[in-house]
């Protein structure tokens, strides 16, 4: 695993994180690691759009749809 150093974090933000970590029953390191893991596991908007494009792209043309509608109307 890699080590990560974050510089110039305002004191009030560090204190807030320490309090939240304590409330969660975790060390500051474990709490921040959970925050990072949660953030890294969420897809970005671009990743979501790419996934939706992959999953919703149909291999059916407009002509295929119209032919199926016509066939359905004709009872065939």
């Amino acid at each position: 695993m890699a080590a990560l150093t974050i510089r110039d974090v305002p004191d009030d933000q560090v204190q807030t994180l320490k309090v939240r970590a304590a409330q969660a029953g975790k060390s500051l390191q474990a709490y921040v690691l959970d925050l990072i893991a949660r953030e890294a596991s969420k897809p970005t908007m671009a990743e979501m759009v790419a996934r939706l494009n992959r999953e919703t792209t149909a291999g059916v043309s407009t002509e295929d749809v119209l032919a199926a509608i016509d066939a359905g109307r004709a009872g065939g």
Side-chain angles (χ1 to χ4, degrees), residues 60-76:
V60 180
S61 69
T62 302
E63 291 78 20
D64 293 334
V65 172
L66 295 175
I69 292 171
D70 289 341
R73 288 179 179 158

Side-chain angles (χ1 to χ4, degrees), residues 2-76:
L4 180 66
T5 301
I6 303 173
R7 291 182 169 78
D8 301 323
V9 180
D11 292 336
D12 61 323
Q13 292 177 3
V14 172
Q15 186 58 36
T16 298
L17 291 173
K18 284 181 179 180
V19 168
R20 290 180 183 174
Q23 289 171 340
K26 298 180 180 183
S27 67
L28 179 59
Q29 178 177 333
Y31 185 77
V32 172
L33 184 58
D34 284 349
L35 289 176
I36 292 169
R38 195 172 338 140
E39 181 62 29
S41 69
K42 290 190 299 187
T44 64
M45 188 61 73
E47 290 166 338
M48 288 174 51
V49 168
R51 180 179 172 188
L52 285 170
N53 284 337
R54 281 192 312 273
E55 292 179 3
T56 59
T57 301
V60 180
S61 69
T62 302
E63 291 78 20
D64 293 334
V65 172
L66 295 175
I69 292 171
D70 289 341
R73 288 179 179 158

